[in-house]
Amino acid sequence: MSAPLRLVLFDVDGTLVDSQGSIVHSMTTSFQAISVPVPTREAILSIVGLSLPHAIARLAPEQPLSVQNDLVDGYKEAYHAHRLELGAASSPLYPGAREVIEALHAVPEVLLGVATGKSQRGLDALIEAHELEPYFVTRQVADHHPSKPHPSMVQTALAETGVEPGCAVMIGDTSFDMDMAAAAGVRGIGVTWGYHHRSALTAASCIIETFDQLPNALAGMWD
């Protein structure tokens, strides 16, 4: 009897890649460009994972919608320019990420995907920069879904792959990722190397501290 299909979904920023430098730079540039007080670094990193309009609304709740929209546009422009300037170095893979992706991809019954607050353009550019095109069979981005922690991204990934919720796992560094997983009825694995403190990952089924711990964590869930 063949093993059931498994789906491993990854968040991107703070989970697969360390993009905090680009995020903080781009947010700072956007706020400064229209003379809006710049949020603290801690505040900026706290919203990583949310769709951009929701992130801006949290960072500048006192600003009218027109100003928030300008901040969104400014961030997109600054982030794109920063990525063009630095290439893959703007969002380097975390240690061990590629090795784990390759190992999981080699398992016939395991499918890989991403569920991210990034735009389609941003995700496609990052995947190309790191030569990850062969690995992810489902790619869920902010353009097509409500912001995390709404379960839409996970639900769509399950529908696209035909995997049952009990055979799927969401891996992420923020409470938004873990709450999204719980809302979709899948288990979540929290990671400590990202942008939310481990104390915020209350909805996680388990928490890991390095990428090389992930295969055993998955085996423990599926066995």
Side-chain angles (χ1 to χ4, degrees):
M1 183 176 179
S2 61
L5 281 178
R6 313 286 193 178
L7 176 63
V8 180
L9 289 171
F10 290 95
D11 169 56
V12 176
D13 296 308
T15 301
L16 289 180
V17 299
D18 187 4
S19 49
Q20 62 179 304
S22 287
I23 292 170
V24 172
H25 164 82
S26 302
M27 201 66 77
T28 300
T29 300
S30 178
F31 275 71
Q32 288 178 338
I34 58 173
S35 300
V36 175
V38 177
T40 65
R41 181 184 186 88
E42 181 181 9
I44 292 171
L45 293 180
S46 76
I47 53 78
V48 174
L50 294 175
S51 300
L52 189 53
H54 290 262
I56 293 293
R58 287 201 181 194
L59 292 175
E62 75 288 351
Q63 299 295 331
L65 183 59
S66 60
V67 173
Q68 292 183 5
N69 289 338
D70 289 342
L71 290 168
V72 168
D73 292 340
Y75 177 90
K76 290 179 179 178
E77 293 172 6
Y79 197 94
H80 182 60
H82 201 246
R83 185 176 67 235
L84 290 178
E85 178 184 357
L86 298 180
S90 67
S91 296
L93 287 166
Y94 280 105
R98 183 178 299 277
E99 292 80 0
V100 167
I101 289 169
E102 291 175 350
L104 290 173
H105 180 68
V107 181
E109 66 270 19
V110 174
L111 304 176
L112 303 181
V114 294
T116 176
K118 281 185 168 307
S119 66
Q120 187 75 63
R121 181 177 76 167
L123 178 63
D124 290 349
L126 184 139
I127 285 177
E128 180 180 0
H130 289 293
E131 300 180 344
L132 296 173
E133 291 95 335
Y135 298 108
F136 301 114
V137 300
T138 182
R139 304 179 186 179
Q140 307 305 322
V141 296
D143 304 46
H144 312 309
H145 298 281
S147 180
K148 298 176 183 180
H150 192 283
S152 176
M153 289 188 191
V154 176
Q155 291 168 338
T156 301
L158 292 171
E160 287 185 357
T161 58
V163 175
E164 294 297 322
C167 293
V169 176
M170 177 69 204
I171 300 161
D173 67 303
T174 71
S175 60
F176 312 129
D177 299 313
M178 298 301 97
D179 291 345
M180 175 177 68
V186 309
R187 285 170 288 191
I189 296 178
V191 307
T192 63
W193 56 79
Y195 306 146
H196 281 192
H197 191 271
R198 68 183 300 150
S199 62
L201 307 178
T202 55
S205 298
C206 73
I207 296 176
I208 60 174
E209 297 181 351
T210 58
F211 251 112
D212 59 9
Q213 294 176 348
L214 181 56
N216 284 341
L218 290 171
M221 288 183 173
W222 291 335
D223 293 343

